[in-house]
Each structure stands twice: as structure tokens, then as C-alpha cells.
Amino acid sequence: MARFTMSLEDVVKYFGDGDEKTGLNNLFDFSYPWELSEEEKNELVNDFYKYYRFSEIGQETPGRFKHFLSVQWALRMQKYAPAMAALKNTKINPLENFSNTTDGTTKNILNPQTPQPDGKDYIDSAITNYTIQSGYNGRTASEMLDDYIDRSRELKREFFDSLSGLFMLIY
């Protein structure tokens, strides 16, 4: 591995005096600009660690890396946190599939251009229909769940990729 640079794994060990869990808690002890449960925070931090574990940091010291990580993390979460929160609040009801409601109104319009044989003016009818659709539009709950999982993974991957500038891009 590296002789003159540190991997994220080395930084975590540095902050935890050799203990990985303590190191992750100490590295990510900065305040978050959004509300996360402790379980969600731990999941995000652990996934980040797994994603970049053997990547070499792009700063000279672990302290500088922690500073840049906290700044970039907060900036990137301004973009990704609302999408993650919206995704988290998505509810999939497996019993609902599709519903279609139609509401129609009829309005009579006097049309003097077309006289009737009995001498009265012709009346045109204008019919207006409104259709309201809800549900999954023919998609099954398992398809919706697959989309939910894919989107969740995709958002997390985009977020982690946006933080790649914290690491050296040497292969």
C-alpha cells in the first residue's frame, strides 16, 4: 500500500487509537446539517467507510482530512439530504394498485347560428371531463419496491462519489 500517504482505514485507526468503531465515531463527530436517527447516521458512515476504506486521503494530516471531510460532507448534504428524506418518507402500499376517477360536467351553450325548424335557436352542449388517476399506474408493489431500493442505492452512490475529491486519484 502507501508508504507516504494514509488510507481512510489508517485515519480511522489514528482517531480511534487502533479501534475502528471509536475511530469512526471520532472522525464523524462533527454536527450534521440535517436530522438523522443514530441508526441512519451509523449506516451512512459505515457505508462511506466501506466505499473509501483503502483510498488514500488527499491531505497531509488526519486533522486536515477531518476538517475537509466535515466541510464537504455538510455542503454535499444540502443537495442530497432533501432527496434522501423524500425517499425515506415514500410509502408503498402493496394493496393499492390503481384507481381512476372521472368527474364530468355538462354546460348548454346558446348557438344562434343554427336555427331549428321550429324557429328556436339551437343549443350546443359542452361536456367537460376531469380524470384523476392515483396509485402505481399498473405497476406492482414489488416493482415499486425495486425502484425504491435502486434509487436509494443510486443516491448514496452519487453522494459518496461527490466526495471523491477528498482522496488521491492514484490507481
Side-chain angles (χ1 to χ4, degrees), residues 19 21 78 102 107 121 135 148:
D19 181 44
K21 185 175 181 178
Q78 290 177 3
T102 303
K107 182 178 178 182
D121 289 331
Y148 172 84

Side-chain angles (χ1 to χ4, degrees), residues 54-167:
F54 300 112
S55 298
E56 297 175 15
I57 64 171
Q59 286 74 35
E60 295 83 10
T61 64
R64 268 178 78 94
F65 175 76
K66 181 178 179 177
H67 168 74
F68 283 109
L69 174 64
S70 66
V71 170
Q72 293 301 315
W73 189 278
L75 288 173
R76 298 299 192 269
M77 281 312 286
Q78 290 177 3
K79 175 182 177 184
Y80 291 100
M84 289 179 178
L87 192 62
K88 183 177 93 173
N89 294 328
T90 300
K91 298 201 180 349
I92 298 173
N93 183 356
L95 300 177
E96 179 184 329
N97 191 5
F98 180 76
S99 68
N100 188 7
T101 306
T102 303
D103 182 27
T105 58
T106 302
K107 182 178 178 182
N108 292 329
I109 302 170
L110 185 63
N111 187 350
Q113 301 294 326
T114 312
Q116 294 295 309
D118 59 1
K120 296 184 180 177
D121 289 331
Y122 178 73
I123 297 178
D124 288 336
S125 294
I127 300 173
T128 307
N129 287 326
Y130 300 97
T131 302
I132 301 169
Q133 295 181 346
S134 64
Y136 305 143
N137 293 326
R139 300 176 71 202
T140 64
S142 62
E143 290 173 334
M144 294 295 291
L145 190 57
D146 286 343
D147 288 348
Y148 172 84
I149 292 168
D150 289 345
R151 184 62 185 142
S152 177
R153 287 179 183 158
E154 187 179 307
L155 266 174
K156 210 178 268 190
R157 192 175 315 116
E158 285 176 22
F159 174 64
F160 293 158
D161 285 343
S162 73
L163 295 168
S164 65
L166 295 170
F167 300 93

